[in-house]
Amino acid sequence: MPKERILVIGASGQIGVELTLALRKIYGDQQVVASDLREMNPLLEGTGPYVALDVMNKEMLHGQIIRQNITQVYHLAAILSATGEKNPSLAWNLNMQGILNVLEIAKEEKLKKIYWPSSIAMFGPTSPKKNCPQQTIIEPTTVYGISKYAGEFWCQYYHQKFGVDVRSLRYPGLISYKSAPGGGTTDYAIDIYHKALQHKPFTCFLEKDTFLPMMYMPDAIRATLELMEAPAADIRIRTSYNIAAMSFSPATIAASIQKYMPDFTIDYRPDFRQAIANSWPQSIDDSCARVDWGWKEQYDLDMMTRDMLEKLKA
Ligand code: NAD
Ligand code: SER
């Protein structure tokens, strides 16, 4: 079987670092080319090849894909929800042109597989709040959500029309301890652990009862790899799969931390991100992912809290 050559775009970001390291374990260090607009994340240093790359520059991207004999692309570069509301045109341009460039080159070069993440942010205030189903009313109100919604349908279009094997997950908010988050509404759920370990009070930019779908990074990485390894015939959804693990609010994550650190305190000062959070579902029905390719999460809130505190302390 010919060896896979994988390009990760946005490899220096929160997901990119961990996904690149996980892919290198599976396919071999030299087979996974990390790339980003910014410098290589220090956690990737010495672990495999890195190229500076702007996904908006289609010629540069095309050239790298040919030069590096790339067979699969994981395209992660995007502007997230909170940063997107501060700069809507930048978010729209990057989030749309990036995926269109990748899909067009995948079609031309007959690449084997493409991965591109969507988000629970593609749902809007008129979608069901609890156990939001795979297919439902979708009227996003953030530029990030609109770009994910449009991106999903471009993926389905390239699959149906040109046979591009592009796969996608609607990630919930992702919590991790390795690389820093990149400007999302769910980032508070990472910062809170850092503050707890510094023995500082935490001021949350969301109200105490704002429940959102969330997932610990090891589950998200495993979900991505399992989706990409599943037989193509099992992937019935070519927009993007709902995927879930847990749902919590600032008050419930604080209570989870207090089980391990009883002196931890939190107060609430909501800002513009409250409106973004209010527009999203509180929990997600991911039964299609469970049926089609066997998705099952491992971490609940308390398991994640224990692991986050241990890993960050170390
Ligand atoms: P991030 O902001 O941490 O990382 C994105 C990376 O893309 C950054 O390193 C950035 O430098 C790079 N980048 C930006 N513009 C680029 C360009 N023009 N060319 C090449 N690289 C460029 O984001 P993340 O949290 O790792 O998210 C990765 C993907 O997952 C995004 O599509 C995001 O929408 C999606 N997602 C993330 C979450 C989450 O909670 N982190 C949840 C849902 C979906
Ligand atoms: N975690 C992401 C954000 O808050 C959701 O896609 O933007």
Side-chain angles (χ1 to χ4, degrees), residues 88-206:
S89 61
L90 177 70
W92 177 254
N93 290 338
L94 172 62
N95 295 4
M96 280 292 80
Q97 200 55 52
I99 181 63
L100 284 172
N101 286 349
V102 170
L103 289 171
E104 194 55 27
I105 296 168
K107 179 187 90 177
E108 286 172 31
E109 298 303 327
K110 299 190 170 34
L111 299 184
K112 283 195 203 159
K113 282 184 209 168
I114 305 296
Y115 178 73
W116 171 81
S118 182
S119 163
I120 52 114
M122 58 83 71
F123 294 114
T126 50
S127 306
K129 284 280 169 219
K130 301 235 165 92
N131 294 323
C132 187
Q134 178 70 41
Q135 283 163 327
T136 184
I137 299 170
I138 297 174
E139 297 179 322
T141 52
T142 62
V143 66
Y144 176 67
I146 299 168
S147 72
K148 289 297 184 189
Y149 188 34
E152 286 193 13
F153 283 89
W154 277 116
C155 288
Q156 181 173 260
Y157 182 84
Y158 270 77
H159 176 70
Q160 289 177 345
K161 193 131 180 160
F162 307 117
V164 175
D165 188 353
V166 50
R167 305 176 183 199
S168 178
L169 298 174
R170 290 172 181 159
Y171 289 135
L174 300 181
I175 290 96
S176 63
Y177 58 88
K178 286 191 182 162
S179 50
T185 302
T186 54
D187 293 0
Y188 87 86
I190 299 172
D191 199 22
I192 193 169
Y193 289 110
H194 289 270
K195 289 287 182 318
L197 283 168
Q198 291 159 15
H199 301 280
K200 288 185 181 161
F202 178 66
T203 299
C204 187
F205 58 72
L206 296 183

Side-chain angles (χ1 to χ4, degrees), residues 202-216:
F202 178 66
T203 299
C204 187
F205 58 72
L206 296 183
E207 289 281 13
K208 62 192 272 193
D209 293 328
T210 311
F211 278 83
L212 288 173
M214 301 278 193
M215 182 178 283
Y216 196 29

Side-chain angles (χ1 to χ4, degrees), residues 9-16 35-38 53-56 75-80 94 116-120 144 148 171-174 180-183 186:
I9 304 171
S12 288
Q14 188 199 357
I15 302 172
S35 75
D36 204 291
L37 194 58
R38 56 174 151 151
L53 187 150
D54 181 357
V55 73
M56 299 290 277
H75 167 42
L76 306 173
I79 301 283
L80 277 79
L94 172 62
W116 171 81
S118 182
S119 163
I120 52 114
Y144 176 67
K148 289 297 184 189
Y171 289 135
L174 300 181
T186 54

